[in-house]
Amino acid sequence: MIALFAPVAWLADGWASEVRIDIDAQGHIAAVTAGAAADGAERVDGPLIPGLPNLHSHAFQRAMAGLTERGGPAGDHFWAWRDCLYRFLAQLDPDDVEVIATRLYIEMLQAGYTSVAEFHYLHHDPAGQAYADSAEMCRRIAAAADAAGIGLTLLPVWYAGSAFGGQAPLPGQRRFVCDADQYARIVEHVVGASGLTAGFAPHSLRACTPDELARLLDLRARLAPQAVLHIHAAEQTQEVEDCLDWSGLRPVEWLLRHTPLDERWCVIHATHMRDLEAAALASRGAVVGLCPSTEADLGDGLFNAEPYQLAGGRLGIGSDSHVGVDPFAELRLFEYGQRLQQRRRNLFERRAQHSVGAALYRAAAAGGAQALGQPVGAIAPGRRADLVVLDVRDPALAEQRGDGLFDAAIFGPVRRPVRDVMVGGRWCVRDGVHALGEASLQRYRRLLRRLLDA
């Protein structure tokens, strides 16, 4: 048993002073006591808040950030970006993926993410052949998370086709594509791995037919019926149009009619929903996974937040392609996108004189915890001790108190809002530094040099 003492901490019911947090040997919070004495507990150096879950990551894409910014006479779009992705990943081997993922997860921790859902679809070698160990790439992701110290929900992805109706995969997709038996072997390894939270992920309706989706749901019912399930949907307008041509329904509309969509599901992006779709999705208790920096980078569009929020919809944030690895920036970009769309301010919090920043953070913490299927997202007994100490030395946080800390960290000119980070009762970042940070960065630099030279 270890104990922390925070001068101020953000608990489930708001800010409290002189807070003692007792943490058991498994890294979970055993007790939280406000107005307590330190009594030998370790004193933290700043306001204490729960770490945020990152509910959507493609780790290998971290090494692509900044490599696709080249103009053209007609502009660019998601599908051209995807072609660049295929060319890039043809160079990566398992060692490379582990190096990239380790570096990324360290960066996530330093930014205040304490857990991550890895939407993992890079299964095979560059020729599209299975490795001798079909779960080789999953093992590398798990090893990277373990080395960095981040909490992992691993989501093996079933990717079978290139477009709606089961069209044959493209050559660039050969590293993703699994048949039913291959997918089952990968998932069985992940579900059976100790210390790992497992989930299921049909990539999208364009990459997984209704029959394949049904088989995945049957596999989940047999192996891990309470596991979370994530799927991309309605990210691009072209995807919506193609889904209408195929089925007569929009992607989220199809999921609502044809799947047992409930609180164990996370619908990634859901950018292009009509009001009735948004309200219906909210009523199912599912989480929408928003990735504002990636959605902006790819020109996806803006999420239809107002009807979803009014219906009580749950949401979380992810860094997706990792053009940004900063939870505070993701929340700012989400709110700013809505302001630009609606031409009004302070949209996420509708109660007068209540903090927009605190409301955003609370929603992302709760929605992220639900989407990851992990006991995180709050400082409360029974939750894992995933904690962030804010760095009040940053001028943007200077003299801020209470919910003003969230408003300043999200909307202010903050440079370094995070000082220390704990995951499962173990300090991973102290004063902004991760113990493996420098060694990881050197390995990452060598890898990038090789990739860029190629």
Side-chain angles (χ1 to χ4, degrees):
M1 183 84 72
I2 63 172
L4 303 178
F5 180 82
V8 292
W10 196 56
L11 307 181
D13 56 355
W15 290 97
S17 300
E18 299 179 321
V19 177
R20 180 187 175 95
I21 301 168
D22 292 296
I23 301 169
D24 66 23
Q26 287 71 48
H28 287 76
I29 297 172
V32 178
T33 309
D39 289 339
E42 178 185 357
R43 190 181 186 93
V44 301
D45 245 347
L48 193 68
I49 63 174
L52 271 191
N54 184 329
L55 56 60
H56 194 59
S57 166
H58 307 303
F60 72 88
Q61 291 183 23
R62 169 64 184 87
M64 279 182 59
L67 300 183
T68 61
E69 310 306 315
R70 297 291 185 272
D76 201 353
H77 50 73
F78 170 84
W79 309 103
W81 173 90
R82 191 178 70 165
D83 290 340
C84 294
L85 165 70
Y86 295 158
R87 294 195 299 273
F88 173 79
L89 63 84
Q91 305 176 65
L92 299 179
D93 64 26
D95 288 343
D96 298 336
V97 169
E98 187 172 344
V99 167
I100 296 168
T102 302
R103 182 65 213 158
L104 169 67
Y105 295 156
I106 288 171
E107 291 176 355
M108 284 185 187
L109 288 164
Q110 291 173 314
Y113 288 121
T114 49
S115 52
V116 60
E118 184 62 38
F119 195 95
H120 176 68
Y121 57 82
L122 187 58
H123 297 305
H124 307 313
D125 72 14
Q129 299 299 308
Y131 291 102
D133 175 359
S134 59
E136 173 72 23
M137 287 296 206
C138 284
R139 292 184 192 276
R140 297 308 186 102
I141 294 294
D146 185 62
I150 200 166
L152 176 66
T153 294
L154 186 51
L155 304 162
V157 172
W158 194 349
Y159 200 119
S162 64
F164 292 96
Q167 295 186 34
L170 302 172
Q173 297 167 336
R174 57 183 174 269
R175 299 195 71 174
F176 314 155
V177 174
C178 288
D179 62 29
D181 291 338
Q182 288 174 322
Y183 184 73
R185 286 195 296 272
I186 293 170
V187 169
E188 285 167 356
H189 161 75
V190 174
V191 169
S194 63
L196 188 63
T197 302
F200 293 75
H203 179 273
S204 57
L205 291 177
R206 59 183 164 82
C208 191
T209 67
D211 286 345
E212 288 158 348
L213 179 55
R215 293 188 69 171
L216 181 148
L217 293 175
D218 287 344
L219 183 65
R220 173 175 174 265
R222 177 168 62 84
L223 294 179
Q226 295 305 308
V228 296
L229 195 151
H230 291 214
I231 187 170
H232 291 117
E235 178 180 5
Q236 289 281 324
T237 53
Q238 184 65 55
E239 175 195 346
V240 175
E241 292 165 6
D242 290 348
C243 191
L244 283 165
D245 289 343
W246 165 66
S247 69
L249 300 172
R250 301 161 66 85
V252 173
E253 189 180 16
W254 192 97
L255 289 171
L256 288 164
R257 292 198 189 185
H258 295 287
T259 68
L261 202 155
D262 61 16
E263 69 279 357
R264 305 303 293 175
W265 286 64
C266 179
V267 182
I268 304 299
H269 302 303
T271 306
H272 299 287
M273 291 192 296
R274 292 175 173 166
D275 290 3
L276 288 177
E277 288 177 276
L281 181 59
S283 74
R284 296 288 189 93
V287 175
V288 164
L290 300 173
C291 308
S293 62
T294 292
E295 290 152 4
D297 178 60
L298 297 179
D300 288 345
L302 292 169
F303 178 68
N304 190 11
E306 188 168 42
Y308 187 72
Q309 185 184 358
L310 289 174
R314 305 171 191 182
L315 57 83
I317 57 165
S319 54
D320 195 349
S321 67
H322 316 299
V323 291
V325 185
D326 181 343
F328 302 97
E330 296 290 349
L331 293 172
R332 177 174 63 246
L333 188 54
F334 165 62
E335 168 71 15
Y336 278 3
Q338 298 303 308
R339 294 182 188 189
L340 288 167
Q341 188 178 48
Q342 301 292 333
R343 297 187 292 281
R344 291 180 284 130
R345 298 187 71 248
N346 297 331
L347 294 172
F348 194 78
E349 175 56 79
R350 294 174 179 273
R351 295 172 298 171
Q353 302 305 310
H354 281 71
S355 161
V356 174
L360 284 165
Y361 200 92
R362 189 179 299 281
Q370 178 179 325
L372 268 66
Q374 295 189 30
V376 296
I379 302 176
R383 301 296 181 104
R384 195 169 67 221
D386 286 13
L387 307 171
V388 167
V389 181
L390 292 175
D391 193 345
V392 293
R393 297 170 301 181
D394 188 296
L397 301 185
E399 303 307 314
Q400 297 290 341
R401 294 178 177 82
D403 287 349
L405 286 161
F406 288 113
D407 291 332
I410 294 170
F411 299 108
V414 68
R415 301 284 295 180
R416 183 179 137 179
V418 172
R419 179 173 185 143
D420 306 314
V421 177
M422 172 180 279
V423 177
R426 172 178 167 267
W427 291 112
C428 297
V429 175
R430 301 306 301 256
D431 203 12
V433 177
H434 190 287
L436 299 181
E438 186 57 34
S440 169
L441 179 57
Q442 293 309 314
R443 288 193 295 272
Y444 181 72
R445 283 182 178 277
R446 288 193 295 272
L447 169 60
L448 272 189
R449 190 177 304 121
R450 193 197 85 216
L451 294 176
L452 292 176
D453 286 346

